[in-house]
Structure formats: C-alpha cells, structure tokens
C-alpha cells in the first residue's frame, strides 16, 4: 500500500526524471525562452570568439597554449562552454534537454578527437553529423506518429498536433539540407571561412527559415490558457 500523498508522488516522479518530459506533460519544467536560446547558442558563439582570438586567449590561459592553433583553442572552449550549458540546464530543471544533450555528446566526442589527434577535420564534420542526426530523428519520429520538435519549442509556442507535425517535417528536411551545406563548405573553403559561415551563415539561415514558418504557426496556434478560461 502506498501511503504517499498524490502531490508527493508527483514530486518524486518529477525528481526521478533524467530527461525532459513530453511537451504536453504537466510535470514538464520550463525555463525562460530567452535563457533557453542563450544556453543552446552560447557555446557556438564562444567557439567563434575563441577561434578569432585564439592566440590572445592562449597567452592569458597557459594550459591552452600547448593545445595548438586557434581552431584547437576554440574547440577546447567550445567543449567547456557546452558542458557549462548542460550543467546550467540541469541545475535549473533537474532534467537534461534532449536536443542539446545529443549535440553536446557529439561536441565532446569529436572535440576530444580533434584535440587528441590534432586534426581539425573532426570538428568540421561535427555539424554534418549533428544536423543529419537531428533530421533523421525528427523525420523518424514522424514515422512513429511523434512530432519531436515540440521538445524544443513547446515553451515558446502552443500549436495543435497538425501544426507540430508539419513544422517537424519542415525542420527535419532543413537539418538535412544544412548537413549537406556544411559538407560543401568545409571541403571547398578555408577554415576561417567555414567558422565564419558556421556563425554568420548558419544562424541567419536558421532565423530566416524560422520566420518563414510564422504563417504556419499562426494558422495552427492554440488559444492562450487565460483566453480559454475567460470563455468558459
């Protein structure tokens, strides 16, 4: 016989969750959307800055001086920033966000290979693998009737099931396209150009793509909870 109160049982179940819950789960913990965006994009900005100022950083942080050139310093900073980002997410929600976690694991693995073998190819291939993986996960989820994009954006948008399905399909295809673009860039252009495109190309393209989805999101938006309560 379970003598725990319902509230206590819910709290225990929430504490026991390692990964973030389904978008519709009432026990899912949310953080400020702006903070969530900063945690997800912050490590990428750190990577860009550290690569651009690699020699200066190495001069002020002695242990980084032995790592190698700017891209290796940037890779080390990228790994540290990724670990910090995931740690902050955990401290705020006591759960790990699925998409950043997958990205973080790949960053740490390929970052370690980059530093260990002193071969920048590994860090350049990482976006291809991450984008391909995300695209396959999103499209694969649809095959099983799950719109996994809700795990990323549910704290910012409230859409009906059809809206999430179409948005997930579009983002899945977009990720696969960006994987192809990354392959073309790193194989045919300089390292500096690849890094610049990674920040100033990928991010604007993602923003433009997101803006293009606004009509779809408006058509499938759910009414706000306070509006529903007023009508009832």
């Amino acid at each position: 016989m379970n003598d725990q109160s319902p509230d206590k049982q819910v709290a225990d179940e929430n504490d026991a969750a390692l990964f973030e819950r389904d978008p519709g789960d009432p026990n899912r913990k949310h953080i400020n959307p702006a903070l969530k965006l900063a945690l997800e994009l912050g490590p990428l900005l750190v990577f860009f800055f550290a690569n651009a100022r690699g020699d200066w950083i190495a001069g002020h942080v002695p242990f980084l001086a032995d790592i190698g050139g700017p891209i290796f310093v940037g890779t080390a900073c990228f790994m540290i920033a990724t670990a910090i980002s995931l740690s902050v997410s955990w401290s705020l929600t006591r759960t790990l966000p699925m998409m950043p976690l997958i990205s973080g694991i790949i960053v740490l693995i390929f970052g370690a290979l980059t530093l260990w073998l002193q071969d920048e190819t590994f860090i350049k291939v990482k976006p291809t693998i991450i984008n391909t993986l995300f695209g396959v996960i999103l499209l694969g989820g649809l095959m099983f009737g799950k719109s996994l994009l809700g795990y990323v954006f549910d704290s910012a948008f409230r859409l009906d099931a059809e809206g999430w399905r179409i948005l997930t399909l579009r983002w899945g295809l977009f990720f696969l396209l960006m994987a192809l673009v990354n392959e073309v860039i790193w194989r045919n252009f300089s390292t500096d150009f690849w890094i610049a495109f990674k920040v100033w190309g990928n991010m604007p393209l993602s923003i433009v793509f997101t803006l293009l989805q606004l009509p779809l999101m408006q058509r499938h938006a759910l009414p706000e909870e306070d509006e529903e309560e007023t009508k009832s």
Side-chain angles (χ1 to χ4, degrees):
M1 181 175 179
N2 192 345
D3 296 329
Q4 288 184 324
S5 66
D7 291 341
K8 176 62 175 175
Q9 292 179 23
V10 170
D12 290 344
E13 291 175 0
N14 204 37
D15 290 341
L18 176 60
F19 304 109
E20 61 182 347
R21 294 178 178 271
D22 291 341
D25 194 321
N27 293 326
R28 181 178 169 90
K29 294 182 178 180
H30 299 277
I31 60 176
N32 182 281
L35 177 58
K36 185 174 183 179
L37 182 65
L39 291 174
E40 293 178 1
L41 295 182
L44 181 59
L45 295 177
V46 169
F47 177 58
F48 176 78
F49 174 80
N51 178 79
R53 303 296 301 274
D55 293 334
W56 179 85
I57 293 174
H60 288 76
V61 184
F63 81 91
L64 291 177
D66 298 328
I67 288 180
I71 190 171
F72 298 106
V73 173
T75 298
C77 293
F78 193 15
M79 294 169 65
I80 295 171
T82 298
I84 292 174
S85 175
L86 289 173
S87 299
V88 172
S89 293
W90 171 262
S91 68
L92 292 174
T93 65
R94 290 298 182 226
T95 59
L96 292 172
M98 293 300 297
M99 302 295 259
L101 176 62
I102 294 172
S103 176
I105 291 173
I106 296 176
V107 166
L108 295 177
I109 291 175
F110 280 80
L113 288 172
T114 299
L115 297 178
W116 181 36
L117 299 176
Q118 290 290 292
D119 188 344
E120 62 189 42
T121 300
F122 291 102
I123 202 65
K124 290 180 177 179
V125 172
K126 176 197 64 78
T128 299
I129 294 177
I130 290 179
N131 285 323
T132 300
L133 183 61
F134 284 174
V136 170
I137 288 174
L138 292 179
L139 297 179
L142 289 177
M143 295 178 62
F144 293 94
K146 290 187 175 295
S147 302
L148 300 178
L149 199 65
Y151 283 92
V152 181
F153 293 125
D154 73 295
S155 61
F157 311 108
R158 299 182 69 245
L159 305 179
D160 59 27
E162 180 65 8
W164 282 123
R165 187 190 70 78
I166 298 174
L167 198 62
T168 298
L169 173 62
R170 292 181 179 181
W171 272 99
L173 295 175
F174 178 75
F175 278 128
L176 294 181
L177 175 62
M178 294 307 294
L180 178 61
V181 170
N182 184 71
E183 282 296 292
V184 171
I185 295 296
W186 84 262
R187 291 179 183 274
N188 295 280
F189 296 90
S190 68
T191 296
D192 287 340
F193 183 88
W194 171 79
I195 292 175
F197 180 83
K198 184 175 174 63
V199 176
W200 308 117
N202 282 354
M203 290 178 64
L205 285 175
S206 298
I207 292 173
V208 170
F209 180 79
T210 300
L211 293 176
L212 291 175
Q213 309 314 307
L214 291 180
L216 168 71
M217 297 166 66
Q218 291 173 347
R219 289 196 303 270
H220 293 274
L222 294 174
E224 297 294 334
E225 294 179 357
D226 54 350
E227 293 180 4
E228 293 179 341
E229 293 174 359
T230 301
K231 293 179 181 179
S232 61

